[in-house]
Amino acid sequence: MSQKERVDLIEVDLLDMCKYILSKWVFILIGMVVFAGAGFGYAKVKSVTEYSSKMQVYVTVPKTSDKVLIRDSASEMAYDYVQLVKTDLIIDKVAKEAKLSKNKVRKAISAEVVEGSRLIQVEVKSDSQKDVKKISKEVLPVFQKVVQKDLGRNKLVIADHPSKITMEQTKSVKKFTVVGAVGGFIIAAGILFIIYLVNLCKKAKESIA
């Protein structure tokens, strides 16, 4: 058997390897701290504070006698109204009442049907707390007016008025810090593993020589 083949057949003692890696805990700790700091710094720089407020409306259809056929389905209308929220019929009026640009209002407003119900949840979200407050105040009155007067449909029932404005970060500082620390541990352990193998190969060559 050649020297190269003998080196290739070196057995790695997993217990010995783990002891070696753990003995370098300071190096691992430094790696975790450095990468955790990098994750924290990235999140702080890239994160944006967003403010939001939510509200809900309930979709109904006109009451009528059994002799009159009503073709409107409240469930289907709910999905129509979700799309309506992003149209100029709503956006133009809200922008005018809130004294904000149409672009700002369009970006801030979103809506979705609450699964399995006739409820529509409208959310106003922006990096400006002042804009959220202004838009939230005007959305429901405008929404009701458009549905009732412009479309001639049954008036929407307000289920939940605009909620208290909440604040959140677009990037979680805690999450990025933890991910950075875990990444630092993996990289440091990987480097130590490579060093361990290199040293093992050197010892094997020396013993053969």
Side-chain angles (χ1 to χ4, degrees):
M1 185 180 290
S2 66
Q3 180 177 334
K4 182 178 182 303
E5 289 174 329
R6 289 179 181 178
V7 172
D8 289 341
L9 292 175
I10 293 174
E11 293 184 358
V12 176
D13 187 331
L14 293 178
L15 182 60
D16 184 59
M17 182 186 70
C18 290
K19 287 181 179 179
Y20 172 77
I21 292 176
L22 291 176
S23 69
K24 306 295 182 182
W25 64 270
V26 175
F27 177 77
I28 294 175
L29 183 61
I30 291 173
M32 291 177 68
V33 171
V34 170
F35 279 86
F40 177 84
Y42 175 82
K44 277 293 186 181
V45 171
K46 295 294 183 178
S47 183
V48 176
T49 301
E50 283 192 335
Y51 302 90
S52 65
S53 177
K54 297 178 181 179
M55 58 213 79
Q56 291 186 338
V57 294
Y58 186 79
V59 179
T60 63
V61 293
K63 292 182 179 180
T64 184
S65 66
D66 294 335
K67 295 180 180 180
V68 179
L69 177 64
I70 295 296
R71 297 185 182 278
D72 287 333
S73 163
S75 298
E76 291 176 0
M77 287 168 61
Y79 285 97
D80 288 343
Y81 291 163
V82 164
Q83 300 303 316
L84 179 68
V85 170
K86 299 290 286 186
T87 66
D88 288 342
L89 271 174
I90 300 288
I91 301 299
D92 284 352
K93 291 179 174 62
V94 173
K96 182 179 179 181
E97 295 297 327
K99 295 180 174 57
L100 294 170
S101 69
K102 285 175 57 178
N103 190 45
K104 276 189 176 182
V105 174
R106 195 181 302 277
K107 285 182 177 180
I109 296 178
S110 64
E112 64 179 359
V113 176
V114 178
E115 189 176 355
S117 73
R118 300 176 183 178
L119 287 168
I120 297 175
Q121 178 170 279
V122 180
E123 181 176 20
V124 179
K125 181 182 289 187
S126 171
D127 58 2
S128 169
Q129 185 176 9
K130 188 176 180 181
D131 288 353
V132 170
K133 186 176 181 179
K134 286 182 177 180
I135 297 171
S136 297
K137 181 181 178 182
E138 305 299 338
V139 169
L140 293 185
V142 169
F143 198 4
Q144 284 187 314
K145 184 178 179 181
V146 169
V147 168
Q148 189 177 14
K149 295 186 177 181
D150 294 359
L151 303 183
R153 298 295 181 89
N154 222 33
K155 187 176 181 179
L156 295 170
V157 177
I158 297 177
D160 286 321
H161 289 276
S163 65
K164 183 179 179 181
I165 296 175
T166 59
M167 178 184 71
E168 65 177 357
Q169 299 293 323
T170 55
K171 296 187 183 297
S172 172
V173 173
K174 182 179 179 180
K175 179 181 177 181
F176 275 86
T177 302
V178 171
V179 170
V182 172
F185 173 81
I186 294 173
I187 292 172
I191 292 173
L192 290 173
F193 173 70
I194 294 172
I195 294 174
Y196 175 81
L197 291 181
V198 170
N199 291 337
L200 199 62
C201 289
K202 285 182 179 179
K203 290 178 181 179
K205 288 180 180 179
E206 290 173 358
S207 62
I208 294 172

